[in-house]
Amino acid sequence: MKKPILTGGLICLLLLSPVTMTAMAETSQQDTLKMLDQLDQLDRLDQMEFDDAIEAGYRCADDEDFVCADKEIKKARPLMFNQDSKQRLNELIAYRKDQEKYYKEKQRLAAQRKLEARCASRCPIARQYSQCVAGRLDSWDCRDEAPSYNSGGSSSGGTMAALSSALTQLNSQLQADLARQKADFNRQMQAIEAQRQAKERQKREQQAQQRRVQQQQQKAMANLQQQQEQARRQAEQRRQAEALRRKQDEERRLAEEKRRQEKEARVLAQQRAKEEEARNKQIYLSKLTSGARMGARSCYGEKHVFATLPVIKPELVSCVNVNFTVQCSSTGPVVHRGVLRNHVNMNAGSCFGDTTQVPSSVACPAKQFVVRATSVEGC
């Protein structure tokens, strides 16, 4: 029986040298490291741009330029990089809304005071003033009103009494409305005044802090000659502390870099191990294919094909399928292609062993079969 000829692709795979595979892996590792460094630089740039947008947003909100604040918020939103940055952005959004609410309230109260002043100057009658403040009467339409009198005797007296009662009731209602509006206005003014006082307190605290700093600076300048030696010692201590801090930062950076490199080395080693395992398995299967001994026999009126595979240690693939072809002569065409599935070399050549049936449509008897193993593959 002739041995099967190896295909060109399999020969190329077997001829790949370890040196070539190592060079390809090192090139891939260098590209991965370069890409990681570029991503780290982009993350730092995004963080700096995020911080600038947050600070600019607060400045815009303090200046009551809410279009500018919204623009900075929109710029910062896609640059969030962790939970802390998300919280900082939410705080800026809440601050911007509070500032706009305070701004609108100031505008509304200023317009209300202006309207009340205009109504008071042009509408001396209480009913007209109330309608003017409520927006139901324009201040230019206010007119002086004078009561009219009838010439009748007792009828005139009753009319005057009814008119007086109605005016008294209307005046009471107007006074109640004015008192209610005044109470609402006072509450709003108290809220605004409380905010103003809070800002004033903050401003006074800042000024006091600045004065304390200035006093400390002046005192330091006055005692400069006496404290020169102490200042030099403190400067040296600060220099040493800064040098220690830089050293610790560098040690942390080197430790992080070492951990990163070790992780990348582990990943690369695992990748190489997988590639080596796959290559060894392919070589193992190729050896099984080249060493397979194929045969056929008639079993109870059926035609069966069997195979005996070489025993190769270590066994890298525990479950294999043997692909084969059947010819009626060594030079004849292939009349059947089949697979011996999950082949384990059990009772090779026996009707009760590891065999597979060939269709009855194959005309030649089993003893004339020329069986060749085309490939051995994992299950």
Side-chain angles (χ1 to χ4, degrees):
M1 181 183 295
K2 293 184 178 179
K3 293 185 178 180
I5 301 174
L6 295 179
T7 61
L10 182 58
I11 293 175
C12 291
L13 177 62
L14 295 175
L15 292 179
L16 281 176
S17 67
V19 176
T20 303
M21 299 297 294
T22 302
M24 293 171 62
E26 291 178 352
T27 302
S28 176
Q29 181 183 12
Q30 293 175 358
D31 293 340
T32 302
L33 293 175
K34 184 177 180 180
M35 182 179 66
L36 290 174
D37 291 339
Q38 292 175 348
L39 291 175
D40 187 46
Q41 293 177 3
L42 290 175
D43 288 341
R44 288 196 295 269
L45 291 175
D46 288 344
Q47 292 178 16
M48 294 173 61
E49 189 174 353
F50 177 83
D51 293 339
D52 293 341
I54 292 296
E55 293 179 3
Y58 275 107
R59 289 196 300 269
C60 294
D62 289 337
D63 295 338
E64 297 178 347
D65 187 352
F66 304 113
V67 174
C68 170
D70 290 338
K71 181 179 178 182
E72 298 300 330
I73 291 172
K74 183 178 180 181
K75 183 189 301 181
R77 194 181 302 276
L79 299 174
M80 290 187 298
F81 50 90
N82 56 19
Q83 190 64 29
D84 180 64
S85 62
K86 180 179 181 181
Q87 181 178 355
R88 289 176 60 193
L89 179 60
N90 291 335
E91 290 175 352
L92 171 58
I93 294 173
Y95 182 77
R96 179 252 183 246
K97 291 180 179 178
D98 291 341
Q99 287 295 100
E100 184 179 20
K101 183 178 179 182
Y102 176 67
Y103 171 76
K104 290 181 178 179
E105 185 64 16
K106 285 197 307 181
Q107 297 285 35
R108 189 189 69 79
L109 291 178
Q112 182 68 21
R113 288 195 297 270
K114 185 176 180 181
L115 175 62
E116 291 175 354
R118 186 168 64 250
C119 292
S121 64
R122 298 175 182 173
C123 302
I125 300 175
R127 178 177 59 81
Q128 294 181 348
Y129 173 78
S130 177
Q131 292 178 347
C132 178
V133 171
R136 296 191 299 270
L137 179 67
D138 190 273
S139 60
W140 294 103
D141 295 334
C142 291
R143 298 288 186 272
D144 293 336
E145 296 182 355
S148 60
Y149 301 95
N150 296 326
S151 58
S154 60
S155 176
S156 175
T159 301
M160 289 299 296
L163 179 61
S164 177
S165 176
L167 289 174
T168 300
Q169 184 179 2
L170 176 61
N171 184 60
S172 298
Q173 181 64 34
L174 290 175
Q175 292 299 326
D177 293 341
L178 289 174
R180 189 163 50 253
Q181 293 177 0
K182 184 176 180 180
D184 293 340
F185 178 75
N186 288 337
R187 282 193 297 270
Q188 294 169 354
M189 291 302 297
Q190 288 173 1
I192 294 176
E193 181 63 20
Q195 294 178 351
R196 187 191 65 79
Q197 290 178 0
K199 286 191 173 183
E200 286 293 332
R201 283 195 300 271
Q202 183 180 6
K203 183 177 180 180
R204 288 195 297 270
E205 290 174 357
Q206 292 176 349
Q207 291 175 348
Q209 178 67 19
Q210 291 175 355
R211 286 195 296 271
R212 287 193 295 269
V213 172
Q214 290 175 356
Q215 291 173 359
Q216 292 173 358
Q217 291 175 348
Q218 292 173 356
K219 183 178 180 180
M221 291 296 294
N223 298 327
L224 182 60
Q225 290 182 348
Q226 298 177 1
Q227 298 177 352
Q228 283 183 348
E229 185 60 29
Q230 181 181 359
R232 282 194 296 271
R233 287 196 301 269
Q234 291 176 349
E236 179 63 20
Q237 291 174 357
R238 287 194 298 269
R239 187 191 64 78
Q240 294 176 357
E242 179 65 19
L244 178 61
R245 184 189 65 79
R246 287 197 299 268
K247 180 181 178 181
Q248 292 173 345
D249 291 344
E250 180 64 16
E251 290 175 352
R252 283 194 295 269
R253 187 190 67 79
L254 292 175
E256 292 176 357
E257 179 67 18
K258 182 179 179 181
R259 286 194 295 270
R260 184 177 68 83
Q261 292 178 354
E262 290 175 350
K263 181 179 179 181
E264 292 173 352
R266 286 194 301 271
V267 172
L268 183 59
Q270 291 173 357
Q271 182 180 356
R272 288 178 176 175
K274 289 180 179 179
E275 293 174 352
E276 182 68 19
E277 181 182 3
R279 185 166 56 253
N280 291 336
K281 285 183 178 180
Q282 187 60 43
I283 294 173
Y284 175 82
L285 293 174
S286 298
K287 290 180 179 179
L288 291 181
T289 302
S290 61
R293 290 181 297 166
M294 309 296 296
R297 69 176 301 154
S298 178
C299 295
Y300 308 103
E302 297 177 346
K303 302 171 185 178
H304 283 248
V305 170
F306 61 87
T308 302
L309 300 181
V311 178
I312 301 175
K313 297 298 182 178
E315 186 182 67
L316 300 182
V317 182
S318 59
C319 177
V320 296
N321 296 329
V322 181
N323 298 299
F324 64 89
T325 61
V326 176
Q327 297 168 267
C328 286
S329 65
S330 60
T331 58
V334 173
V335 295
H336 175 69
R337 296 181 185 272
V339 182
L340 281 164
R341 300 189 180 278
N342 194 14
H343 186 75
V344 293
N345 276 348
M346 184 180 71
N347 296 329
S350 171
C351 289
F352 301 99
D354 231 354
T355 68
T356 184
Q357 183 179 356
V358 176
S360 60
S361 58
V362 177
C364 56
K367 63 182 180 180
Q368 293 181 3
F369 282 5
V370 177
V371 186
R372 291 187 175 92
T374 58
S375 64
V376 179
E377 301 173 344
C379 296

